């Protein structure tokens, strides 16, 4: 089986990320620069750039378009005017000397008039908060007649002030990429050959756990799934392993899973594990409770006719008999369930349900008892 390039798959095949790429291409083909509002912890950011460039390469008439990258953080003064950056980098010496700030032509008009940016797509990254608005303002006033006059893709981390009448398109990663995309991607990861030993229920739980922990950071999700045995490993130990690898020392801000772990915010991490268990395990518990009701319906009906009560009042039908009530009926010998395994199952289901109902997480043995070993 051919190995999948997951980073390429994320940006080219999954709906939300693919929408980011498509929105950039649409903006550029419409002769508008693209302002990309992205999180600090963007997954596979280099592949995003490669995917956009690959799409541009397939468009007829753009064979001569060359892509350049400017890392403001590493290569420029953060408060430097965008026009001056471009003039110094790409203009001929005589054109640099002839430009007069405050003259009749704006810096944008001058660069276009001199053809300085001809057949150049400049991808601007590493922009700090003080410079991001300058680049947005510059792009809004950049008005080429054609994409070959020069175009820009500008990555910003903070929400800029944006003029909808300007000549740039604002593309928000968080509006394109949702938890649904992340869960779909996690399901595909877990459905790979390395997870053939997992049942459908385990894969469903694994996808939910990965998504709740890693959010929309598909790159961390990929590393989590590749390192984690869902049947035997503690999820927090796997996160520790990812951190210890040293590959993501700069990854993890705000509520990102790596940031939470480094700050030892175990309460929030356990809430995420609990949310995954609530999503997948709770319906299984209820399904098995109803199977028990069906199996021993006549006995439950008998006790209901005798006025069986539980915490919320009189029980009116067998489907309302809770697991705790079943345990009580067993202890009181009011129902006869001779099978030792079934009695143990009722107690185990009651314990798991009580944990989840009180925002506690089930341990690995309890999860395995519900999903199968």
């Amino acid at each position: 089986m051919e190995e999948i390039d997951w980073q390429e798959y994320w940006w080219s095949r999954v709906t939300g990320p693919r929408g980011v790429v498509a929105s950039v291409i649409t903006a550029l083909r419409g002769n508008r620069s693209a302002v990309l509002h992205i999180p600090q912890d963007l997954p596979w950011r280099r592949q995003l750039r490669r995917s956009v460039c690959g799409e541009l390469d397939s468009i007829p008439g753009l064979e001569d378009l060359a892509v350049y990258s400017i890392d403001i953080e590493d290569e420029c003064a953060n408060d430097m005017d965008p026009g001056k950056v471009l003039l110094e980098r790409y203009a001929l010496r005589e054109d640099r000397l002839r430009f007069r700030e405050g003259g009749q032509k704006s810096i944008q008009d001058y660069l276009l008039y001199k053809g300085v940016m001809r057949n150049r797509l400049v991808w601007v990254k590493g922009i700090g908060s003080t410079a991001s608005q300058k680049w947005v303002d510059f792009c809004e006033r950049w008005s080429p007649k054609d994409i070959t006059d020069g175009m820009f893709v500008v990555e910003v981390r903070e929400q800029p002030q944006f003029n909808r009448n300007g000549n740039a398109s604002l593309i928000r990663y968080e509006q394109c990429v949702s938890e649904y995309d992340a869960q779909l991607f996690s399901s595909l990861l877990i459905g790979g050959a390395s997870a053939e030993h997992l049942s459908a229920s385990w894969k469903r739980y694994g996808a939910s756990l990965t998504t709740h922990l890693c959010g929309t950071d598909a790159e961390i999700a990929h590393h989590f799934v590749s390192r984690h045995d869902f049947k035997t490993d503690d999820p927090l130990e796997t996160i520790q392993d990812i951190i210890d690898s040293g590959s993501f020392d700069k990854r993890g801000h705000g509520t990102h899973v790596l940031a939470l772990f480094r700050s030892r915010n175990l309460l929030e991490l356990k809430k995420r594990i609990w949310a995954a268990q609530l999503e997948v395990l709770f319906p299984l518990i209820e399904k098995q409770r109803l199977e028990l009701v069906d199996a021993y319906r006549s006995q439950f009906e008998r006790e209901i006719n005798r006025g069986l009560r539980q915490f919320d009042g009189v029980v009116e039908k067998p489907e309302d008999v809770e697991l705790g009530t079943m345990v009580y009926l067993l202890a009181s010998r009011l129902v006869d369930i001779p099978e030792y395994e079934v009695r143990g199952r009722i107690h185990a289901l009651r314990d798991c349900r009580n944990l989840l109902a009180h925002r506690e997480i089930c341990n690995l043995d309890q999860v395995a008892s519900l999903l199968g070993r």
Side-chain angles (χ1 to χ4, degrees):
M1 183 177 178
E2 186 178 348
E3 189 170 344
I4 297 174
D5 181 348
W6 287 110
Q7 56 181 309
E8 190 275 335
Y9 194 100
W10 170 254
W11 285 112
S12 67
R13 304 285 293 277
V14 180
T15 302
R18 170 69 190 139
V20 174
V21 174
S23 295
V24 173
I25 297 300
T26 298
L28 297 177
R29 295 193 73 172
N31 302 329
R32 299 169 65 86
S33 293
V35 177
L36 265 175
H37 183 221
I38 57 174
Q40 276 187 285
D41 299 308
L42 183 73
W44 292 309
R45 61 179 64 238
R46 290 181 181 176
Q47 182 59 46
L48 165 60
R49 297 161 192 155
R50 286 195 292 266
S51 295
V52 170
C53 293
E55 291 283 334
L56 289 173
D57 286 343
S58 67
I59 299 174
L62 299 184
E63 295 82 3
D64 296 329
L65 188 70
V67 180
Y68 298 82
S69 177
I70 301 177
D71 191 324
I72 301 299
E73 189 175 31
D74 292 341
E75 302 171 23
C76 306
N78 202 33
D79 59 351
M80 193 171 181
D81 182 77
K84 291 182 179 179
V85 171
L86 300 171
L87 199 63
E88 289 189 8
R89 278 181 169 254
Y90 304 118
L92 297 172
R93 182 174 181 275
E94 59 196 64
D95 291 335
R96 291 200 302 270
L97 294 174
R98 286 177 181 171
F99 176 71
R100 293 292 179 267
E101 195 167 357
Q104 289 185 337
K105 289 184 182 296
S106 68
I107 185 66
Q108 289 93 335
D109 289 341
Y110 185 79
L111 291 169
L112 286 166
Y113 174 70
K114 291 294 184 180
V116 173
M117 306 308 298
R118 184 76 182 166
N119 283 323
R120 300 183 199 267
L121 170 66
V122 179
W123 197 298
V124 187
K125 57 183 180 176
I127 305 176
S129 57
T130 58
S132 61
Q133 191 62 49
K134 290 182 180 181
W135 279 95
V136 171
D137 293 343
F138 176 88
C139 289
E140 288 180 336
R141 294 179 175 86
W142 179 258
S143 301
K145 294 180 180 179
D146 187 81
I147 188 175
T148 56
D149 286 339
M151 206 62 72
F152 302 92
V153 178
V154 179
E155 296 180 6
V156 296
R157 298 172 187 168
E158 298 180 6
Q159 174 67 40
Q161 294 181 356
F162 204 75
N163 178 10
R164 294 184 180 275
N165 296 320
N167 202 46
S169 295
L170 178 62
I171 301 158
R172 296 185 180 94
Y173 178 87
E174 71 276 7
Q175 285 190 347
C176 296
V177 181
S178 68
E179 186 177 303
Y180 172 78
D181 296 302
Q183 186 140 4
L184 171 62
F185 188 70
S186 295
S187 298
L188 293 168
L189 288 172
I190 294 168
S194 61
E196 287 179 346
H197 66 292
L198 296 177
S199 67
S201 294
W202 271 107
K203 289 177 180 178
R204 193 178 306 116
Y205 174 63
S208 181
L209 178 63
T210 303
T211 304
H212 279 286
L213 279 174
C214 303
T216 57
D217 190 337
E219 188 173 1
I220 295 299
H222 175 256
H223 280 264
F224 181 83
V225 170
S226 65
R227 295 166 184 265
H228 191 71
D229 187 321
F230 290 95
K231 289 188 174 183
T232 61
D233 294 348
D234 182 336
L236 298 185
E237 290 182 2
T238 302
I239 297 300
Q240 177 73 70
D241 188 34
I242 292 172
I243 290 173
D244 290 344
S245 72
S247 300
F248 297 97
D249 290 345
K250 294 183 179 180
R251 184 72 60 88
H253 301 81
T255 59
H256 190 277
V257 61
L258 300 188
L260 294 174
F261 194 93
R262 291 188 184 109
S263 64
R264 308 307 295 172
N265 191 344
L266 300 182
L267 179 62
E268 177 58 30
L269 290 168
K270 287 181 178 179
K271 279 184 180 178
R272 295 186 181 189
I273 296 171
W274 169 81
Q277 293 186 351
L278 187 71
E279 184 177 277
V280 177
L281 302 185
F282 205 85
L284 288 177
I285 293 171
E286 282 298 290
K287 179 175 180 290
Q288 292 187 37
R289 182 184 69 83
L290 291 172
E291 289 172 352
L292 288 164
V293 167
D294 289 339
Y296 302 98
R297 178 176 292 273
S298 62
Q299 295 193 56
F300 292 138
E301 286 177 339
R302 182 189 66 219
E303 295 306 314
I304 290 171
N305 292 333
R306 293 175 178 174
L308 178 65
R309 299 180 64 87
Q310 56 190 13
F311 65 92
D312 57 352
V314 176
V315 180
E316 296 184 352
K317 59 183 185 294
E319 284 76 11
D320 294 336
V321 178
E322 299 289 353
L323 290 162
T325 303
M326 292 183 191
V327 170
Y328 160 74
L329 291 172
L330 281 173
S332 304
R333 298 188 178 182
L334 295 173
V335 297
D336 180 25
I337 300 179
E339 300 88 353
Y340 174 79
E341 289 185 358
V342 176
R343 297 198 304 273
R345 188 66 175 164
I346 291 173
H347 280 84
L349 289 171
R350 188 274 312 269
D351 291 345
C352 290
R353 188 194 184 284
N354 284 351
L355 285 170
L356 294 175
H358 293 88
R359 288 190 176 179
E360 299 287 339
I361 61 176
C362 299
N363 62 37
L364 285 170
D365 283 340
Q366 290 170 318
V367 173
S369 73
L370 291 168
L371 298 178
R373 299 186 184 274

